[in-house]
Structures are given as structure tokens and as C-alpha cells.
Amino acid sequence: MRGPRRAAGGASQEGSYRPSAPRVRCRNSVSEQKVAVLRPDAGGCGRTRHHIPLRLRTRASSPCGPGRRFLGPSGRGSRDAPPRGPGPASRSDKGEGAGAGAEDALWPPLPAAPGPAAAPAAPPPAPGPQPRGGAGGAGPPGGRGVYIREFRAAEQEAARRIFYDGIMERIPNTAFRGLRQHPRTQLLYALLAVLCFALTRSLLLTCLVPAGLLGLRYYYSRKVVLAYLDCALHTDMADIEQYYMKPPGSCFWVAVLDGNVVGIVAARAHEADNTVELLRMSVDSRFRGKGIAKALGRKVLEFALIHNYSAVVLGTTAVKVAAHKLYESLGFRHMGSSDHYVLPGMTLSLAERLFFQVRYHRYRLQLREE
């Protein structure tokens, strides 16, 4: 620690110290410097050198050297910093290396130099025309939306495939889900399990009985459904043009999406009671949930209104609740159900009656009174 400095005459110069103008010694650094400041010590009889880390900004000339500015620890200008002196900008004003780029973040961006006016941004392109033919429209074949039109002979195989896939989905539905609709069959299967336990006293065999019964239900459901498909594919679905397009009062429609057939439906008139029957409705499983089935159903209703039929009727053995909700959303009323319906292809054998049950539902939509 140094003692108080004395003038040439021996008098102490301690009173001449001004804390507002500290002596600053700068080290050669760009991003951060340690500044040595001489301040009086606690006793007031001397001064101590304190090293304070300070960040320096490359600007105009300052006491710390050409092109340097004294900044406080917070990055802002310190009140104790000497005023910036006039003078030409040095090379350091242009920044030195990567450190200058990091320090520029401490300063607000300078306004851009005036230049030629920028060209106005181009307006966004106007939206193109929407494709005609929505879920229930009849747009042109080039449109992207789903549209309904009459069947063409070249679409025979596509219509048969959609019908086949839709019927094959009913095998597990009838075998497993359909069991909930037949409480008597459930009771019979429970009695068989109890009888097995009474005869064998084996829990393992008793637990295997329900699995075996469900396996038999799947086998006979597949057998009956395949027989029904064979019958349908060799009758009306074998020649759609002959069965639905040529006779009066009948028609067959397809739902087309991007040039592909994704749904089918047919209508056949019954002149005896002046009604139209809706049948063969099916939608490709990859395109369900888009309102295609409802659009097909509305097409049949439109056909019945145009030809002055009094009602539209349909029958279904569908197990899914979604199918029944669809018919109700179109305005159909449930007219009843039967557990004794015989599908085409059934043999009515004892095993078939024991392991295959189907419930037939009838719906009707009255268009006008007779």
C-alpha cells in the first residue's frame, strides 16, 4: 500500500484526488477487459488498485485507446466514463473478429441507409375453383371430390370387390358381436360349460369350453357367409348391367373419388306396393367416415321421389350400430326384426342353427301417402 503522494514542496496532494475521474488503464482486449482503478482505501491515507472486469465496445476514440469505449459491468455506458472525443474512426470501428459480432448485440440496430423503395410484395394467388361434386354431388369425372353417378360396365369388377369386402367383414361381427343379441344362446353356452365341469371336475377343460364354442361360431359364420357370397356373385352381382340398369324402376350407382370406385348402392322397384328397395350398399373400408354412404342413400331417395314411389324399404343383417344410425339419419324408421331369417346359402342343419344366428332388421321411409 502506497502512502499519500506529495508535491515537490513536500505538501500532501491527498486533497487533489477526484473520485469522479478515475485513472483508467486498459488492457488490449476487445470483448472484455480488466480495468485497474485507483481508489482511496478505508483509512483515507492511501489508494488501492482494484481490478474490475469491464466489457469494452468498439466505437469512437476514448482514453482507453483509439476506437474503444468504456462500459460498465451491465453493458451500458458508465457515468464515470470520459466523454467521447471527436476524431476519425479507426480500424477498430469496423469490428475485430468474432468478438466484435458478439458485442454488437449490446447496441440497438442502426437505422438502414436510405435506398431505392422496395417493390411491393406480390398479392397472393387467387384460390382456384373448388371441385364440383361433394359428398352428394354429381361433379365431373375430373373433379377431386366424391360424386355419385350411374354404374358403367367397365366398373363391374370394382363393384364386385367392394361388395365382397363388405360382406366378409360380417364374419367376425356375426360370430362374436352378434352373440350379444341372442341371450338364449348365451344361456345355452353357459349350461354347456357347467355340464362340462360337472362331468370332468376340471377347471382347465371348463375354461376351454367357451373358447371352443366361439371357434365353432366363427367356423359356421364363415361357412354361411361364403355360401351367401357365392350365391350373390353368381346372380345379380354377376351382371349388374343386366339386373339393374336395363329393367325399368331399377338402377345401380357408384361413388367415385379421384377416378376410383369407392362405394356402391342399388335400387330395385316393387310395383306391387309401389316401393323401392335399397340394397347392395357398401363403401370401401379405406374411405369410410367421409359421408359417402349417406350420399349413396340420398341418391336412392332422390330416385324414388323422381319416379313417384311412395316409400323406400330396406332389410339388413348388419350388427354394427353405425349402420343402423346411418339409416335413421336418412329418415328411415325401424319396423321390426326377426331371428328366423334364412340367408341364401343356409342349410338349416342342427349345428348351423346352434352356432350361427343372425337378426334381420326391416326399415321403411314413407315418402308420400297413397
Side-chain angles (χ1 to χ4, degrees):
M1 180 180 300
R2 297 182 179 180
R5 299 180 59 184
R6 300 182 179 274
S12 174
Q13 301 296 326
E14 182 178 351
S16 63
Y17 173 74
R18 297 181 180 178
S20 59
R23 296 175 57 188
V24 180
R25 299 179 183 178
C26 300
R27 297 183 181 180
N28 189 12
S29 175
V30 176
S31 60
E32 182 173 333
Q33 298 183 7
K34 287 188 176 180
V35 181
V37 181
L38 297 179
R39 296 186 181 276
D41 57 6
C45 58
R47 285 176 285 181
T48 307
R49 178 176 299 179
H50 299 271
H51 294 274
I52 304 175
L54 300 175
R55 286 178 289 176
L56 298 182
R57 166 68 178 173
T58 301
R59 288 293 181 180
S61 60
S62 68
C64 299
R68 305 293 174 84
R69 182 178 177 181
F70 174 77
L71 298 181
S74 62
R76 301 181 180 178
S78 174
R79 294 188 308 171
D80 297 337
R84 297 174 55 182
S90 63
R91 291 172 51 187
S92 60
D93 291 337
K94 301 180 181 179
E96 299 178 10
E103 295 169 359
D104 288 341
L106 301 175
W107 294 89
L110 298 177
Q130 297 296 329
R132 293 177 55 192
R144 292 186 177 181
V146 178
Y147 65 99
I148 313 299
R149 60 169 172 78
E150 292 186 0
F151 168 83
R152 299 173 183 174
E155 299 162 343
Q156 174 77 29
E157 291 304 320
R160 284 165 58 92
R161 176 189 58 81
I162 293 176
F163 173 74
Y164 178 87
D165 293 343
I167 296 299
M168 288 296 291
E169 291 179 1
R170 298 192 179 184
I171 295 177
N173 293 334
T174 304
F176 306 129
R177 292 186 180 181
L179 184 59
R180 296 180 297 181
Q181 300 178 354
H182 304 278
R184 293 183 180 179
T185 303
Q186 298 179 29
L187 179 60
L188 177 61
Y189 291 172
L191 291 177
L192 289 176
V194 172
L195 180 61
C196 177
F197 179 76
L199 295 176
T200 61
R201 298 294 180 178
S202 173
L203 291 176
L204 178 60
L205 292 177
T206 304
C207 294
L208 291 177
V209 168
L213 293 174
L214 291 178
L216 289 172
R217 284 186 63 85
Y218 183 85
Y219 170 79
Y220 280 98
S221 296
R222 179 180 176 85
K223 178 177 178 294
V224 173
V225 169
L226 289 177
Y228 169 75
L229 272 174
D230 183 70
C231 179
L233 294 175
H234 287 84
T235 52
D236 60 323
M237 296 301 294
D239 192 349
I240 298 175
E241 184 78 20
Q242 181 68 28
Y243 272 81
Y244 292 105
M245 304 306 295
K246 292 184 178 181
S250 300
C251 194
F252 197 98
W253 297 272
V254 294
V256 181
L257 176 63
D258 295 335
N260 300 317
V261 177
V262 297
I264 59 173
V265 71
R268 183 171 56 192
H270 298 280
E271 300 297 340
D273 54 357
N274 195 30
T275 60
V276 172
E277 182 181 5
L278 184 153
L279 65 164
R280 303 309 189 207
M281 178 187 285
S282 184
V283 177
D284 193 323
S285 59
R286 297 171 296 176
F287 301 96
R288 292 176 185 170
K290 302 180 181 295
I292 299 176
K294 182 174 287 188
L296 291 168
R298 288 175 177 170
K299 197 67 178 178
V300 176
L301 302 184
E302 179 185 345
F303 174 82
L305 287 172
I306 293 175
H307 293 82
N308 295 321
Y309 288 100
S310 60
V312 180
V313 297
L314 66 88
T316 180
T317 58
V319 178
K320 289 185 176 180
V321 178
H324 298 274
K325 288 185 177 181
L326 169 65
Y327 302 139
E328 294 174 357
S329 67
L330 290 170
F332 285 88
R333 293 180 57 189
H334 187 258
M335 305 303 295
S337 60
S338 174
D339 293 336
H340 305 288
Y341 179 74
V342 179
L343 282 175
M346 290 182 65
T347 61
L348 300 179
S349 63
L350 179 60
E352 194 174 89
R353 292 181 179 181
L354 182 61
F355 298 108
F356 177 79
Q357 297 86 25
V358 64
R359 178 168 292 180
Y360 183 77
H361 299 268
R362 300 186 306 275
Y363 286 88
R364 182 184 181 94
L365 174 58
Q366 193 71 31
L367 299 177
R368 60 183 177 87
E369 297 295 337
E370 291 291 342

